[in-house]
Amino acid sequence: MFDFLKRKKDPAEVYTEINAKTFDSWAEEGWIWSRPIDRETYQKAEKGEWSVLLTPTKPVPKDWFPNMRGAKVLGLASGGGQQMPIFAALGANCTVLDYSKKQLESEKMVAKREGYSIESIRADMTKPLPFADETFDLIFHPVSNCYVENLDPIWKECYRVLKKGGILLVGFDNGVSYAFNEAEDKMIFKLPFNPLKDPELYDLCTREHWGIQFSHTIEEEVGGQLRAGFRLLDIYQDTSGDGNLHDHGVPTFFATKAIKDSL
């Protein structure tokens, strides 16, 4: 168990620290979303052969992206050296914000190996983002907000730091999988799944090394983007890529494309 869990602190004050440490340890264990791309993949991207993921299995449609050459791109909780190197190979100016030191180390490693620059910022995305208004042309936010309790501040900050006409691409789960056991053959948890409101669930998450995770509704995910001012342009669904729900074709993930209108 992490040292700061021994302190007498409100779990709501430290859960993002717990999650950052969890991601660090998963990266050290070789977690799939912490494996940076290799040189061949980078070189193919330079030649126009590329794909990236917001959700576990479906590549993001290429027509979801603006002209990437010269675009200012924020990878929000997108560390790991998987997407930002592709965007850099396409000519984008990339910034990555993540709370995991190990995920950011992977970004720096690939950038050094391939000879491009990337701004790497360690920060908690539940706090105000450390950027001026209307800084970015694109925010790429793969599945990660399941490690955050309240999404509304994130959507508002994304809207603030995007330029007018800027694009927000988001991957997220629909919360269904949180009701199931590990084998995904029995529903054992009630939704919403929120360890900060259930001490037994909090203890289970820390004991099993899951990190502190949260289920979210479509109202929180898509509705939150709309309330922040975004206009939804497109959406698709995806499965987890493995497990019983995947085998039965149950979609448990979505990806959205939204725009900050120029009006």
Side-chain angles (χ1 to χ4, degrees), residues 72-75 84 93-98 104 107-108 111 116-122 130-131 135-136:
K72 296 194 69 175
V73 177
L74 171 63
M84 295 302 106
N93 299 313
C94 296
T95 298
V96 60
L97 183 147
D98 206 291
L104 292 175
E107 293 289 346
K108 294 173 185 176
Y116 64 83
S117 297
I118 186 168
E119 185 175 9
S120 174
I121 297 174
R122 183 173 185 266
F131 309 112
T135 296
F136 299 100

Side-chain angles (χ1 to χ4, degrees), residues 5-257:
L5 289 179
K6 300 175 183 178
R7 307 173 194 163
K8 300 298 182 181
K9 284 190 175 181
D10 183 343
E13 296 178 358
V14 298
Y15 84 89
T16 55
E17 297 177 46
I18 294 171
N19 286 339
K21 293 288 186 180
T22 300
F23 274 93
D24 286 346
S25 63
W26 289 348
E28 291 175 349
E29 294 164 3
W31 186 45
I32 185 173
W33 304 115
S34 296
R35 300 173 194 168
I37 64 168
D38 58 21
R39 171 158 288 174
E40 181 182 4
T41 302
Y42 181 84
Q43 291 175 337
K44 285 184 176 179
E46 288 184 306
K47 298 175 183 178
E49 302 173 36
W50 62 278
S51 66
V52 291
L53 296 171
L54 279 167
T55 56
T57 74
K58 281 188 179 181
V60 183
K62 289 185 179 178
D63 62 7
W64 276 26
F65 293 90
N67 181 2
M68 297 297 279
R69 184 154 301 279
K72 296 194 69 175
V73 177
L74 171 63
L76 182 59
S78 183
Q82 297 183 346
Q83 300 101 17
M84 295 302 106
I86 298 295
F87 300 151
L90 297 176
N93 299 313
C94 296
T95 298
V96 60
L97 183 147
D98 206 291
Y99 209 19
S100 165
K101 294 178 181 178
K102 293 295 183 180
Q103 294 289 82
L104 292 175
E105 286 175 7
S106 291
E107 293 289 346
K108 294 173 185 176
M109 182 276 290
V110 179
K112 182 177 180 181
R113 186 188 73 200
E114 304 301 342
Y116 64 83
S117 297
I118 186 168
E119 185 175 9
S120 174
I121 297 174
R122 183 173 185 266
D124 182 349
M125 69 176 173
T126 67
K127 312 297 184 188
L129 298 179
F131 309 112
D133 295 356
E134 300 186 9
T135 296
F136 299 100
D137 299 291
L138 172 69
I139 295 177
F140 192 86
H141 184 37
V143 177
S144 56
N145 63 27
C146 51
Y147 298 94
V148 171
E149 183 182 28
N150 184 6
L151 303 186
D152 281 347
I154 295 174
W155 304 137
K156 291 175 182 177
E157 281 294 283
C158 286
Y159 191 87
R160 180 183 67 80
V161 303
L162 268 177
K163 298 177 184 177
K164 292 181 175 65
I167 298 294
L168 172 66
L169 303 184
V170 182
F172 58 91
D173 71 87
N174 62 12
V176 170
S177 61
Y178 284 98
F180 287 84
N181 61 353
E182 188 172 357
E184 296 182 341
D185 59 7
K186 185 178 181 181
M187 299 180 74
I188 61 173
F189 297 111
K190 292 182 178 180
L191 299 181
F193 187 98
N194 186 337
L196 298 185
K197 298 186 182 303
D198 184 339
E200 291 185 5
L201 188 57
Y202 184 89
D203 289 342
L204 177 64
C205 287
T206 54
R207 186 170 64 250
E208 295 295 326
H209 195 48
W210 293 344
I212 308 303
Q213 301 190 38
F214 306 87
S215 68
H216 293 295
T217 63
I218 293 298
E219 288 92 336
E220 292 174 280
E221 297 281 7
V222 179
Q225 294 180 46
L226 299 177
R227 290 190 296 273
F230 288 103
R231 178 165 58 91
L232 185 66
L233 296 180
D234 207 349
I235 189 168
Y236 64 84
Q237 62 187 18
D238 196 4
T239 68
S240 61
D242 58 26
N244 192 39
L245 294 176
H246 166 78
D247 292 343
H248 285 81
V250 178
T252 50
F253 290 86
F254 289 91
T256 56
K257 175 184 181 180

